[in-house]
């Protein structure tokens, strides 16, 4: 599908830094021969991980260019401080490379607020977009759905929710080849008079736009039901929904292990169920849903979970690459310019 | 623990009306000999269900008094219309009986907004409480937690969140005999500068109250982790969190059944796991968490899920009875009057 493309990697983000990000990058490049990487971070730490490469492919290391940075963003850094003092951190330099066209995608497992701030600073927003939204896909009974915003904007206006709906619909249409993606607003009821004023106003904006396939409200229990391509909410609700789901899965897993115990009958039963359970794991493993887009930036910016495993970081690299192969921002830009009536 | 007490039942609420509520009430009264019931609804429909009673206990039917109502609230009724035109519905009459002291608890599986409106109209709010909150318990890894608000107040001020925290803490303390219940505010991060302004202001109010054991923010993934007795949020976030959890459980269940299939190996394995899976079901069955309090009303008002099964409605009756046995509103009232500086 794609010719050679280059991805800018902030190697220092995430709980284990280069030990996860660089190892995952090697795995990824080994199976994606058309991709090159610009790796930003502490050159000693990055170099150590590169020297541990298990791959014999001689082209692999030649497809990686390491660029040293003296500083990196940490989780407790405030976005405003990062903009003042850490523009040349590994994250900042990687975003500068993206903005300059040296790379077609950016990835980091680091501080979300800092990615947003530096992204807006260097990469800028797409035409007409007031604030980017974090967007990921979630598994449903019948497939997967795009959900945004997941935490970048705890409070949103109706106009912003409308922008998110537009960004989500255009992205699902481009990346999943869905002709007219169905869009719903997350609310506390399905009747039109339910919920907050901002959501009711966003619904009116979406109903008025005949190019968006707006299908009404969806409640929390509908998120995983399938049948909706794009689910739109403010960042507070989105973050609560996704994190609560993670927590529930963890709790049920813990209670399941406790209930099943370690007796031989239980072990035998689990052995018999090994195939189906593995299949289920492959379908629902959070690692497979790692990699969230910052939709609305004028470049492919992808965030990995900070505690992502190597496998999960590989998945986020795939997400970034797919969006870059589709030239997502270039596809979105003229449509947004037209629809949101931006000059220029 | 309790002497005779009387519960006012809106028999017409819920998807199946008296077919669920009256059948469940018979089950409940059969195992709770100290409880009497005032049943409000269509006397023909209620009578039909009573005539199907499987119980031989001669005192059982004598503990039930049916009071006919010509109208009942339906799900699409708006609260404002209910206040104008349906004050003498089964729901309204049952709440009037509670307000008059004829019953010590009220239960309905009907329209939540209508229960809130009629509850405020007839039963009134406790001193200093601006709006009641819906509160239920959820299972956690280590036990259970109280969560409020679950949807009565989609938008809340900091002062309201503080009131909810107080109501939740006092309730957990009284019903669970926890000396100093831990309280957290739901937010999109754990650092003190995270999230919305209203939540940060509520945190300041809670930190200033030395009688509340406020322990900081909690994220969605912490809800089911245990270790927090009371989790406070606005009704929008609470509704999204709980309903998303329900939806995830349904989705995983569907995917699990699909993955496991119907082969004989799978059946054998499930048979071997029958004991532990039943144990898990008993721990996590949503039916066991049915029954939400309207905390902040000057009376025990409990809402059952509209689609509750007979077993689930029995559970909600138990929730209502336990709160009535503790005289919950009478316990809360003087403390709230003192803390929220209400005259009278």
């Amino acid at each position: 599908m794609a010719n050679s493309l280059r991805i800018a990697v902030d190697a220092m983000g995430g709980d284990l830094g280069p030990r996860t990000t660089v190892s995952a990058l090697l795995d990824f490049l080994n199976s994606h021969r058309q991709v090159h990487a610009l790796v930003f971070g502490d050159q000693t730490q990055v170099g150590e991980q590169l020297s541990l490469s298990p791959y014999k492919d001689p082209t692999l290391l030649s497809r990686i260019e390491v660029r040293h940075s003296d500083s990196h963003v940490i989780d407790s850094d405030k976005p405003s401080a990062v903009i003042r003092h850490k523009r040349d951190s590994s994250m900042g330099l990687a975003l500068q490379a993206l903005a300059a066209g040296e790379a077609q995608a950016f990835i980091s497992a680091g501080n979300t607020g800092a990615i947003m701030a530096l992204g807006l600073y260097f990469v800028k927003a797409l035409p007409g977009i007031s604030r980017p939204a974090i967007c990921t896909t979630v598994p449903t009974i019948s497939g997967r759905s795009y959900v945004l915003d997941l935490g970048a904007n705890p409070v949103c206006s109706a106009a912003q929710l409308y922008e998110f709906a537009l960004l989500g619909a255009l992205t699902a249409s481009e990346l999943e080849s869905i002709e007219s993606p169905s869009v719903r607003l997350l609310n506390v009821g399905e009747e039109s008079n339910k919920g907050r004023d901002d959501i009711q106003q966003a619904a009116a904006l979406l109903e008025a736009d005949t190019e968006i396939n707006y299908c009404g409200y969806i409640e929390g229990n509908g998120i995983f039901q399938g049948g909706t391509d794009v689910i739109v909410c403010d960042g507070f609700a989105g973050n609560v929904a996704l994190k609560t789901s993670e927590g529930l899965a963890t709790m049920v897993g813990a209670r399941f292990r406790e209930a099943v115990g370690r007796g031989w009958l239980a072990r035998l039963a689990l052995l018999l169920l090994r195939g189906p359970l593995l299949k289920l794991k492959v379908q629902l493993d959070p690692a497979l849903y790692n990699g969230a887009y910052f939709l609305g930036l004028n470049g492919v910016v992808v965030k990995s979970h900070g505690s992502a495993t190597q496998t999960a970081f590989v998945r986020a690299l795939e997400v970034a690459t797919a969006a870059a192969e589709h030239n997502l921002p270039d596809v979105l830009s003229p449509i947004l310019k037209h629809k949101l009536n931006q000059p220029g």
Side-chain angles (χ1 to χ4, degrees), chain A:
Chain A
M1 184 164 193
N3 298 321
S4 161
L5 70 85
R6 188 170 277 107
I7 187 161
V9 180
D10 167 19
M12 307 308 282
D15 296 351
L16 299 179
R19 275 159 61 193
T20 302
T21 57
V22 174
S23 319
L25 180 65
L26 289 165
D27 290 349
F28 175 77
L29 292 178
N30 186 53
S31 57
H32 293 76
R33 304 287 164 117
Q34 84 285 15
V35 181
H36 290 65
L38 285 175
V39 179
F40 295 84
D42 179 276
Q43 63 189 3
T44 312
Q45 288 183 51
V46 171
E48 258 174 40
Q49 294 304 317
L50 288 176
S51 71
L52 298 174
S53 169
Y55 298 108
K56 306 260 180 287
D57 174 6
T59 76
L60 202 153
L61 288 178
S62 74
R63 282 186 279 132
I64 299 175
E65 181 185 331
V66 180
R67 298 201 185 164
H68 179 73
S69 65
D70 285 321
S71 73
H72 63 275
V73 173
I74 58 174
D75 283 351
S76 56
D77 282 337
K78 291 194 184 171
S80 54
V82 168
I83 289 293
R84 280 199 303 276
H85 307 298
K86 292 199 173 174
R87 288 201 294 266
D88 288 339
S89 59
S90 56
M91 185 189 284
L93 291 174
L95 283 163
Q96 289 176 51
L98 178 72
E102 288 190 273
Q104 289 73 52
F106 160 93
I107 189 168
S108 172
N111 183 325
T112 306
I115 298 176
M116 179 63 93
L118 289 169
L120 279 169
Y121 189 84
F122 288 121
V123 183
K124 316 290 183 203
L126 283 168
I129 297 298
S130 39
R131 287 267 300 174
I134 299 175
C135 176
T136 191
T137 57
V138 299
T140 68
I141 290 179
S142 53
R144 51 167 68 203
S145 300
Y146 285 74
V147 185
L148 72 167
D149 174 34
L150 295 175
N153 309 281
V155 180
C156 294
S157 67
Q160 280 180 297
L161 292 172
Y162 169 77
E163 289 172 19
F164 297 168
L166 190 55
L167 285 169
L170 293 171
T171 300
S173 174
E174 174 64 26
L175 298 186
E176 313 280 332
S177 305
I178 305 170
E179 200 174 325
S180 182
S182 53
V183 176
R184 287 182 186 272
L185 286 166
L186 185 64
N187 204 345
V188 295
E190 288 182 8
E191 304 83 4
S192 60
N193 64 331
K194 280 287 175 82
R196 296 194 316 240
D197 292 346
D198 56 331
I199 297 172
Q200 293 187 21
Q201 288 157 15
L205 293 174
L206 288 167
E207 273 160 7
D209 186 334
T210 53
E211 291 172 324
I212 294 181
N213 179 15
Y214 175 65
C215 302
Y217 297 140
I218 189 170
E219 293 187 78
N221 51 344
I223 295 177
F224 298 103
Q225 214 163 46
T228 303
D229 298 310
V230 181
I231 296 164
V232 176
C233 53
D234 67 57
F236 195 92
N239 187 284
V240 165
L242 269 271
K243 286 198 173 154
T244 304
S245 309
E246 281 176 34
L248 178 71
T250 305
M251 187 271 285
V252 172
R255 291 252 188 158
F256 178 76
R257 281 187 296 276
E258 194 193 301
V260 168
R262 298 180 154 276
W264 69 271
L265 267 180
R267 285 196 209 183
L268 173 63
L270 290 179
L271 195 66
L272 293 175
L273 286 176
R274 195 160 175 270
L277 286 177
L278 274 176
K279 190 174 151 197
L280 198 66
K281 187 164 183 285
V282 165
Q283 287 175 3
L284 302 182
D285 189 355
L288 290 186
Y289 295 85
N290 191 35
Y293 309 101
F294 279 71
L295 284 188
L297 284 176
N298 189 18
V300 174
V301 172
V302 168
K303 152 99 173 109
S304 159
H305 206 297
S307 63
T309 60
Q310 197 167 317
T311 310
F313 198 81
V314 169
R315 173 62 198 147
L317 283 161
E318 288 168 356
V319 165
T321 306
E325 284 172 344
H326 280 269
N327 288 314
L328 192 62
D330 291 346
V331 171
L332 267 54
S333 186
I335 306 173
L336 293 172
K337 200 179 284 181
H338 171 70
K339 283 196 75 89
L340 301 173
N341 294 316
Q342 286 300 301

